[in-house]
Amino acid sequence: MASLRPTAFQSLIRNRTPFVRSQQRRWAQVHDIRFLATHRDPNQVLDRYRSKLHQKAQQEGHESVESLKAAHQEKIDQLRREASTVLTPEPPSPSATSRPPAPPTPRPSPKAQAAQASESTGIKPLSSYVDVEKIRDLPPKEIEALWRLRHASNSHSICAVIPLETYQRIVSAARQNPQFILPLPRMQSEGQTAETAEAADANTGADIHFLQWAFHPPASAPTAINSHISTIIFTQLAAYKLHGAYAQPHTTITHHLDLADDKGLVLMHGQVMPDSGVSTTEATWLASCVQRFYDFGGQASGRKGELLRMFTQGDAEGFKLDELMAEAEKL
């Protein structure tokens, strides 16, 4: 490496020689023309035009050039200000600019709140199905009858009315166990898809479906105690294994709590996707299984609750699919 240094240094010197020769001479200077034009000695200008200024002073009745200058001092200052170059000031920062306080934003109406929640979550509020304010004054039995009548004509819809206490027990377990699998007894049907057939377990004779809970902001009455919206989506387990989060759910269940505080009712609505390989009857079976395994204070107080906890904890030895099927069939 030491023998290469002189050679590299010499090469560097040779390469720099033309550059040094092409540089401008050391005594050459660059001047700002604006400075030369606007910053000359004022005495030189005054001596050059003294005779004309003296003549002008005599015409206007002044004794000397100084008195003429004093008489026109205001005009001279104005011309100097106009001729001078003023730097453009930087715009003030937004924080430094004084702005008037913004007027208070009016609170949106319950219908507007429901529309905003629907746009953000993609979930239809309860007001899109019934007139909430009108049915609020009805007895619980009539509300339940109207709710079932509202969805009776839709062949892909399921509905139910859940007591608030039961729902609260289910939701308490759902927050700790947001995912689970449920068996669906295999039913030979023409609409069965290939993914449904692959999901069937040969030993138990059931199709396995994957469910996920989700909790959303309220559609209305955000200050109420029970104001959230919860959803459950059901997906065929084979489709979920293949597509993951992009798997298309076949059933979506929504719980509306608009009447929970004053009526003690939770209105449930489920929508079954057409041509998904799952009928409305089968979706109703899966929805009923949710209460069987998540109502820890009721139907899920025994082995059903244990299976749910073991699934969440990943206990592969304790969780048995045949036991899951047997417990699902128990009423």
Side-chain angles (χ1 to χ4, degrees):
M1 294 296 294
S3 61
L4 294 178
R5 291 180 180 176
T7 305
F9 183 75
Q10 293 174 1
S11 175
L12 178 62
I13 293 297
R14 287 195 298 268
N15 293 334
R16 285 176 53 87
T17 303
F19 174 74
V20 174
R21 291 178 178 176
S22 63
Q23 288 181 337
Q24 61 179 344
R25 297 176 179 178
R26 293 293 182 182
W27 56 82
Q29 298 180 1
V30 179
H31 298 279
D32 191 346
I33 299 177
R34 294 173 298 174
F35 180 83
L36 295 177
T38 58
H39 295 78
R40 290 182 177 178
D41 187 357
N43 293 327
Q44 296 179 0
V45 179
L46 185 62
D47 294 341
R48 183 175 181 180
Y49 296 97
R50 183 174 295 277
S51 59
K52 293 184 179 182
L53 291 173
H54 185 71
Q55 183 179 358
K56 180 69 175 178
Q58 290 180 350
Q59 292 176 357
E60 295 185 5
H62 296 282
E63 297 179 356
S64 63
V65 176
E66 284 72 15
S67 61
L68 176 65
K69 182 179 178 181
H72 295 276
Q73 187 65 41
E74 183 178 355
K75 185 176 181 180
I76 293 172
D77 294 339
Q78 181 181 358
L79 292 176
R80 284 180 176 176
R81 288 193 298 268
E82 294 177 356
S84 62
T85 303
V86 182
L87 295 176
T88 304
E90 296 183 359
S93 60
S95 59
T97 305
S98 59
R99 296 180 180 177
T105 305
R107 184 173 181 176
S109 62
K111 291 185 177 180
Q113 294 178 10
Q116 293 175 1
S118 178
E119 292 178 359
S120 60
T121 62
I123 301 173
K124 290 184 178 181
L126 183 62
S127 59
S128 63
Y129 300 102
V130 295
D131 191 329
V132 180
E133 299 306 321
K134 286 185 178 180
I135 69 172
R136 193 182 297 275
D137 298 330
L138 299 177
K141 290 293 184 182
E142 294 186 15
I143 294 176
E144 181 176 355
L146 289 174
W147 183 245
R148 295 185 183 279
L149 183 63
R150 171 64 178 81
H151 301 284
S153 59
N154 189 346
S155 60
H156 298 287
S157 177
I158 59 177
C159 66
V161 177
I162 306 173
L164 179 59
E165 294 181 1
T166 303
Y167 174 79
Q168 289 176 337
R169 293 196 303 264
I170 294 174
V171 167
S172 177
R175 293 185 183 276
Q176 300 176 7
N177 308 274
Q179 298 178 349
F180 193 48
I181 59 173
L182 288 174
L184 180 64
R186 187 184 303 119
M187 300 179 183
Q188 297 296 334
S189 61
E190 296 180 357
Q192 190 178 31
T193 62
E195 288 180 337
T196 307
E198 292 178 2
D201 183 80
N203 297 326
T204 60
D207 300 330
I208 308 302
H209 296 259
F210 179 70
L211 70 87
Q212 300 178 83
W213 283 82
F215 299 90
H216 310 278
S220 61
T223 58
I225 299 175
N226 300 284
S227 59
H228 68 271
I229 298 177
S230 65
T231 58
I232 310 173
I233 59 173
F234 289 93
T235 311
Q236 295 165 355
L237 183 59
Y240 185 80
K241 287 182 177 180
L242 182 61
H243 303 291
Y246 298 97
Q248 181 68 30
H250 59 74
T251 303
T252 302
I253 292 178
T254 305
H255 299 97
H256 301 280
L257 280 81
D258 301 63
L259 305 177
D261 288 336
D262 49 357
K263 295 297 180 180
L265 300 178
V266 177
L267 304 185
M268 184 273 280
H269 169 251
Q271 186 67 32
V272 183
M273 295 295 295
D275 303 325
S276 62
V278 176
S279 65
T280 305
T281 303
E282 293 170 337
T284 303
W285 163 269
L286 292 173
S288 64
C289 285
V290 172
Q291 182 174 351
R292 299 177 193 176
F293 285 89
Y294 277 87
D295 188 4
F296 284 177
Q299 302 180 33
S301 57
R303 184 60 177 170
K304 293 182 178 65
E306 294 177 2
L307 290 171
L308 178 60
R309 295 187 184 95
M310 285 188 292
F311 181 86
T312 302
Q313 297 169 2
D315 186 358
E317 295 182 359
F319 185 86
K320 302 298 181 182
L321 194 59
D322 55 347
E323 291 187 16
L324 178 68
M325 182 63 185
E327 292 294 332
E329 293 178 348
K330 292 180 181 179
L331 298 178

